[in-house]
Amino acid sequence: MPFGQVMMVGFLTLLFALPVYFLWFAFDSYRRRRRGEAPTYSSGGVAAIDMVFQPTAEDARVVWEAEQVMPAPAPTPGDGPGVIDGNRIVIETGLRHAP
């Protein structure tokens, strides 16, 4: 099969497959919204472009994803007064003075 014929078959396949995919995607989003679920979208294509053209953006995205998974550190008894106040955890940022 010549190369041009392979390209034409691939183009025609893509031409017919894309509308089917977009219709399925729209129907799936509609169905999820009616159920009360938040539709989730993949960002894999954008991540692949960032990996090639902006490696520092890719590194920042990886760090951000890792930070989203890590839990906040629990206060320890050696943190000093004001960290645990009764049933509340007080986080001192330095913007306000403690009363």
Side-chain angles (χ1 to χ4, degrees):
M1 193 182 267
F3 181 71
Q5 195 173 8
V6 171
M7 290 293 290
M8 182 56 79
V9 169
F11 174 73
L12 290 175
T13 303
L14 190 65
L15 188 67
F16 287 107
L18 277 177
V20 172
Y21 171 74
F22 287 130
L23 285 173
W24 172 81
F25 187 79
F27 175 73
D28 186 53
S29 295
Y30 173 75
R31 182 181 53 87
R32 286 179 186 256
R33 270 189 248 113
R34 285 190 47 107
R35 286 184 180 174
E37 299 175 12
T40 57
Y41 304 109
S42 174
S43 62
V46 175
I49 291 171
D50 273 349
M51 194 181 310
V52 173
F53 293 106
Q54 296 177 337
T56 54
E58 162 66 13
D59 295 340
R61 186 185 59 79
V62 169
V63 169
W64 179 80
E65 286 179 356
E67 288 175 349
Q68 299 304 310
V69 175
M70 291 175 32
T76 59
D79 283 342
V83 175
I84 299 177
D85 184 25
N87 290 333
R88 295 181 351 171
I89 298 175
V90 178
I91 300 173
E92 296 173 1
T93 61
L95 297 177
R96 298 182 187 172
H97 297 291

